[in-house]
Amino acid sequence: MYSAAITGSGVFTPEHSITNDELVVAFNAHADLFNTKNADAIAAGTIAAKPHSSSEFIFAASGIERRYVFDKAGILDPARLFPKMPDRDDSEPSLMAEMAVDAALQAMAQAGKSADDIDAVICAASNHERAYPAIAVEIQNLLEIDGFAFDMNVACSSATFGIQMATDMIKSGSITSALVVCPEICSAHLEWRDRDCHFIFGDVATAVLIERDEDLQGAYFKIKSTKLATQFSNNIRNNNGFLRRTRDQMDDRRDMQFMQNGRKVFKEVLPLVSKHIAEHLDKEGLQAADLKRLWLHQANKAMNDYIGKKVLGRDPQAGEQPNILQDYANTSSAGSIIAFAKYSSDMVKGDVGIICSFGAGYSVGSVILERA
Ligand code: CO8
């Protein structure tokens, strides 16, 4: 049995960013338009008026200050409140493939590896922009990698589930290395016209290169172990899919975009995650005190504060549990990997940390790493 290591990571960040204030101005103008247009129905009580959003609420409830997006103009147009992304010809690279390639090249450069060194590509994301051919195969082709590639989706936990797939293949000897890429265009499946969630998501792509832990050079992280769990819940759901065409009047249905019962998710996922991490550490014979860093899923600052405190048995110190959600918002599967990519270079030989994702499914995934 071989062992595996993360030897490189990369983050592609879109050029446009939207602050909470900009978002709220656009949302409130949209709400005013909606209320004026539907004044009679609102007065008759058949439609509810849209209340205003507030920057103070968004920051206090989530810790989010801004988010990166591919298209700012469409999202901030009160008459639209949805990104506008030009259609691409089939001869051009798809957007998801393009952003993933950017992140992958950064991960490969960090590890000092080229396409010839890589056997597989896993595109792990919470949505894929087409049904087939797999985006992963397109990425493989753009990077000129021999071998195989496949797409997978476990919503916010796609990255950690992808890392376990790659690790297990490396351990068994069927491959020696794999890229796990997470291109997340969350802005296209967020409902920007819903005050309860319009602030939650942003766009980004991440990549990690995973290799057989043999003759490796430089700063890398041994993958000590991985642990995955799922438990069915309807509290985070998106009903868009290929059966859409077979059903009438689907286009404007609210459930064609991201929907959640945020309060329930908050309450139900927290104990699930804390228990999952405790059990994973226990299985590896580790104590919470052995953890130098927690790279957690980036959905909500209060959630991360709670998990950090529960796992460590005390308030996490500055830097022990880095958050990036203030700048990126929730980027689904990419969040914990952005935190890892940006806050791991200072760790020294023997330091142990844990990547942990959680989200729709419900799904929880954790990866225990040791700096080599
Ligand atoms: N401005 C002002 N007031 C607001 C706003 C707003 N924007 N939104 C809600 N309010 C009001 C509400 O109406 C409510 O008022 P009242 O008390 O009078 O009824 C009050 O504020 C409190 O509302 P909530 O209870 O909804 O607020 P919370 O404190 O629960 O905060 C959060 C809302 C931030 C959404 C919080 O519940 C949360 O973070 N929950 C966890 C969410 C989470 O982790 N979800 C995981 C989803 S990600 C995932 O799994 C990936 C899915 C695939 C990716 C999809 C990409 C698009």
Side-chain angles (χ1 to χ4, degrees):
M1 180 92 92
Y2 300 99
S3 44
I6 295 182
T7 55
S9 58
V11 179
F12 163 82
T13 303
E15 91 185 73
H16 304 293
S17 176
I18 298 178
T19 64
N20 288 346
D21 284 349
E22 289 175 304
L23 191 65
V24 166
V25 166
F27 181 90
N28 290 348
H30 158 80
D32 293 343
L33 282 174
F34 177 90
N35 293 340
T36 305
K37 190 174 157 206
N38 296 292
D40 290 345
I42 292 168
T46 49
I47 292 182
K50 270 198 191 206
H52 277 188
S53 183
S54 105
S55 294
E56 293 72 31
F57 170 85
I58 294 171
F59 180 67
S62 68
I64 295 166
E65 295 175 38
R66 56 184 69 83
R67 67 284 297 141
Y68 288 96
V69 292
F70 273 104
D71 174 54
K72 188 165 173 170
I75 293 167
L76 294 184
D77 174 358
R80 179 178 175 93
L81 245 52
F82 199 71
K84 201 178 180 95
M85 297 179 187
D87 200 10
R88 291 184 174 192
D89 188 83
D90 287 356
S91 62
E92 296 176 85
S94 64
L95 187 54
M96 279 184 76
E98 197 171 79
M99 65 204 281
V101 163
D102 186 294
L105 288 171
Q106 293 177 42
M108 290 158 66
Q110 196 182 82
K113 293 292 154 71
S114 68
D116 293 344
D117 302 308
I118 300 168
D119 296 333
V121 177
I122 301 175
C123 180
S126 57
N127 232 326
H128 292 90
E129 68 177 87
R130 61 168 182 264
Y132 41 78
I135 308 287
V137 179
E138 188 183 355
I139 296 165
Q140 176 199 357
N141 182 52
L142 290 168
L143 290 170
E144 298 180 16
I145 290 172
D146 280 338
F148 66 92
F150 60 89
D151 288 350
M152 55 178 279
N153 175 358
V154 199
C156 287
S157 290
S158 300
T160 51
F161 278 58
I163 289 172
Q164 175 161 314
M165 296 308 107
T167 301
D168 286 352
M169 288 189 285
I170 289 169
K171 278 180 166 177
S172 75
S174 66
I175 60 169
T176 59
S177 66
L179 277 165
V180 179
V181 294
C182 301
E184 293 285 7
I185 313 177
C186 298
S187 65
H189 51 123
L190 173 59
E191 181 47 272
W192 298 89
R193 290 165 285 189
D194 181 341
R195 183 182 76 140
D196 288 350
C197 67
H198 77 114
F199 53 90
I200 291 182
F201 290 101
D203 301 335
V204 80
T206 57
V208 286
L209 179 61
I210 305 179
E211 296 185 76
R212 183 188 285 180
D213 188 0
E214 209 174 69
D215 304 325
L216 293 175
Q217 308 289 327
Y220 66 93
F221 284 86
K222 290 169 181 292
I223 298 176
K224 285 175 75 71
S225 86
T226 57
K227 179 175 161 69
L228 311 180
T230 48
Q231 179 184 302
F232 187 70
S233 168
N234 276 325
N235 285 326
I236 311 168
R237 195 167 169 125
N238 179 339
N239 283 329
N240 199 358
F242 76 100
L243 290 180
R244 180 179 180 145
R245 190 175 173 227
T246 67
R247 295 165 182 160
D248 293 335
Q249 295 171 336
M250 293 287 270
D251 276 357
D252 271 339
R253 258 174 50 178
R254 176 64 190 87
D255 63 341
M256 294 296 103
Q257 307 297 333
F258 166 85
M259 293 201 308
Q260 78 166 351
N261 188 336
R263 202 37 59 143
K264 274 200 172 158
V265 173
F266 200 104
K267 271 203 194 130
E268 292 174 6
V269 166
L270 284 179
L272 212 63
V273 175
S274 312
K275 188 164 165 272
H276 180 97
I277 294 178
E279 286 175 359
H280 193 177
L281 292 176
D282 196 42
K283 193 167 142 249
E284 288 306 306
L286 292 166
Q287 311 288 321
D290 297 324
L291 284 180
K292 283 281 181 309
R293 198 140 306 165
L294 288 88
W295 299 284
L296 299 179
H297 175 54
Q298 302 285 315
N300 184 300
K301 182 175 182 301
M303 258 173 138
N304 286 2
D305 289 347
Y306 176 97
I307 293 165
K309 192 169 179 174
K310 190 89 183 157
V311 169
L312 298 174
R314 57 173 170 78
D315 285 325
Q317 292 167 8
E320 261 184 323
Q321 183 193 287
N323 283 324
I324 54 85
L325 58 81
Q326 63 280 7
D327 297 318
Y328 281 86
N330 185 340
T331 48
S332 195
S333 66
S336 57
I337 305 300
I338 306 173
F340 168 72
K342 290 191 184 287
Y343 295 97
S344 56
S345 60
D346 61 316
M347 291 176 76
V348 298
K349 193 172 166 56
D351 279 354
V352 172
I354 189 165
I355 298 176
C356 185
S357 66
F358 41 89
Y362 296 131
S363 58
V364 191
S366 50
V367 181
I368 298 178
L369 300 175
E370 181 184 328
R371 175 75 160 70

